[in-house]
Amino acid sequence: MLRDPENPSRMIGPPFVEESMRDFTGLGGYAVLLLTTVTFALFFRAELSREAFRFFVSVTVSGYFLGAILKNVVQRERPALVPHLSHVSGATSFPSSHAMMSVIVFLTIGLLLSTRTRERHLQRLLTLLPLGISFVVGLSRICMGVHYPTDVLAGWTLGLLWVWAAFRIYHRTQKGKTAE
C-alpha cells in the first residue's frame, strides 16, 4: 500500500519521504540508541544521582535482553512482501526492537528529566516528545518493509509496559527509602 505499484522497491510519493523514513528508522537503531544511552547515563550520574544512573542503565539493558529473548522465542520471520528499504541485522521481526527500544530509551530519559521540573507543561512535553519520536520510528519500520504492523505495535506495547513496571518499582523503592 505504501509502495509504488510499478516499482515496489520505491515508496509512493516524492523521494524525500523515503529518505525521511530512513532517517526516522535510524533514531531507533542500535548506534543512535547506544550513543543516547551512554550520553544520558553519564548525565544522570553527574546531575541526578548514582541511583538514577543505575536505574536508567538497568531499564535499558534489561529491556534489550527482554526483546532479544522474545525474538528468539517467537521466531517470526520478517515480511517478504516488498523489498526492504533498510538493512536488517536479523531474520526475526517480532517484536520490533527499534519500536520497543526507542520507547524504553527515550521515554525513560523523558520521565527522569521530568522529575527535574515542577512545570506541568514541561513534564508533558518530556513525556509526549519521546512517545512521538517512538511513533515515527515504529511507523518508519513498517514503511521500510522490515516489520509487520503487529511487530511494531508489540514493540511499542512491550516498551511502554517495561517502562511503566520499572518506574512503579523505582517509585516504591524510593518511598521505602524515605520511610526508613
Side-chain angles (χ1 to χ4, degrees):
M1 196 166 79
L2 301 171
R3 299 299 178 94
D4 181 345
E6 295 174 21
N7 183 3
S9 65
R10 302 287 308 165
M11 285 183 61
I12 57 171
F16 79 86
V17 173
E18 187 175 317
E19 187 64 22
S20 296
M21 288 298 120
R22 231 181 250 103
D23 292 344
F24 292 143
T25 213
L27 291 172
Y30 290 124
V32 171
L33 292 176
L34 183 61
L35 178 63
T36 303
T37 298
V38 169
T39 300
F40 277 92
L42 294 172
F43 171 79
F44 292 142
R45 178 64 179 97
E47 285 297 316
L48 294 181
S49 67
R50 186 176 293 158
E51 219 165 278
F53 165 80
R54 283 191 206 122
F55 172 74
F56 177 64
V57 171
S58 66
V59 170
T60 56
V61 171
S62 61
Y64 168 80
F65 283 112
L66 173 67
I69 289 167
L70 287 171
K71 277 184 180 280
N72 194 38
V73 168
V74 175
Q75 290 287 313
R76 182 181 193 180
E77 290 187 24
R78 291 190 183 274
L81 302 170
V82 292
H84 296 170
L85 298 179
S86 177
H87 172 74
V88 291
S89 59
T92 57
S93 69
F94 186 93
S96 166
S97 295
H98 278 68
M100 182 176 167
M101 290 308 299
S102 66
V103 168
I104 290 171
V105 171
F106 296 131
L107 185 57
T108 303
I109 290 168
L111 292 172
L112 284 170
L113 289 176
S114 74
T115 64
R116 307 268 297 168
T117 182
R118 293 192 193 284
E119 301 287 334
R120 286 275 192 219
H121 68 281
L122 192 52
Q123 289 174 337
R124 273 190 220 107
L125 179 67
L126 289 167
T127 303
L128 294 176
L129 188 59
L131 293 174
I133 292 169
S134 299
F135 177 78
V136 297
V137 167
L139 181 64
S140 74
R141 300 306 283 166
I142 297 165
C143 292
M144 295 287 101
V146 296
H147 281 292
Y148 296 104
T150 51
D151 300 337
V152 171
L153 187 59
W156 286 332
T157 303
L158 289 166
L160 286 168
L161 287 171
W162 196 251
V163 171
W164 175 80
F167 272 90
R168 294 267 309 187
I169 293 167
Y170 183 66
H171 290 306
R172 280 192 179 155
T173 59
Q174 295 302 307
K175 285 181 184 176
K177 287 182 180 180
T178 57
E180 291 174 0

